[in-house]
Amino acid sequence: MSERVLVPSVIGVVALGAVAAGGYAMASTTTQPTVKNGSASYTAPSQQGEGKLTYTADVSDDSGVRELRVIAWPASSELDPTKAELRYVDKATCHSTSDETSRCTYTLKVTQQDAADLAEGAWHVSVLATAKDGDTKFVSRAATVDVTR
């Protein structure tokens, strides 16, 4: 093979390799999901019916949202849930608002009997958001709510 053909061929292979590597680097950059506008509320049960603890947030990721797991716990306790532990708690109900964002709401019903056993005062809400591509975002204190009887 002549040198005139070999040199341009090698340059072409190197150039293609650089383009492919650059494309791979761009495709492999991952972003964590975001959890925004999170808020929690508590309504004590009454003679008319059950109460509830509710947490709502907007969750986004460039791949879409798979799920949001939520747990509420009394600030006065020794609890401090970890990311690993949140994989096993209740899921919020999520509704897509766009290809990348979902509005997620978690509701825990509270009976009068349940309320009698709840610690009064501040409670923290911890969340674990999971994107469709598997990326996760753990927020240890996504919101605080005051629990009263």
Side-chain angles (χ1 to χ4, degrees):
M1 186 182 282
S2 89
E3 228 176 278
R4 281 191 225 169
V5 173
L6 185 59
V7 172
S9 295
V10 171
I11 291 172
V13 168
V14 170
L16 281 176
V19 169
Y24 177 75
M26 288 179 62
S28 67
T29 59
T30 59
T31 60
Q32 288 185 331
T34 60
V35 180
K36 294 182 180 177
N37 305 319
S39 65
S41 64
Y42 175 77
T43 304
S46 66
Q47 297 296 347
Q48 288 74 35
E50 295 178 329
K52 64 183 175 179
L53 185 143
T54 304
Y55 174 78
T56 302
D58 295 320
V59 182
S60 298
D61 187 78
D62 57 358
S63 70
V65 177
R66 181 184 304 157
E67 66 183 24
L68 181 71
R69 295 198 177 250
V70 181
I71 190 166
W73 48 281
S76 62
S77 73
E78 304 241 345
L79 297 173
D80 197 1
T82 65
K83 178 180 180 177
E85 292 169 330
L86 257 74
R87 295 183 190 278
Y88 305 102
V89 301
D90 293 336
K91 291 181 190 179
T93 301
C94 297
H95 299 285
S96 294
T97 56
S98 73
D99 289 343
E100 296 180 353
T101 304
S102 291
R103 181 86 169 173
C104 299
T105 303
Y106 170 76
T107 302
L108 176 67
K109 293 180 182 178
V110 181
T111 66
Q112 286 186 347
Q113 185 176 359
D114 294 333
D117 295 332
L118 294 179
E120 285 191 278
W123 281 56
H124 297 299
V125 177
S126 299
V127 300
L128 177 64
T130 304
K132 288 184 179 178
D133 62 8
D135 292 338
T136 60
K137 174 69 174 184
F138 172 64
V139 183
S140 63
R141 286 174 177 72
T144 301
V145 62
D146 192 38
V147 172
T148 59
R149 291 202 176 93

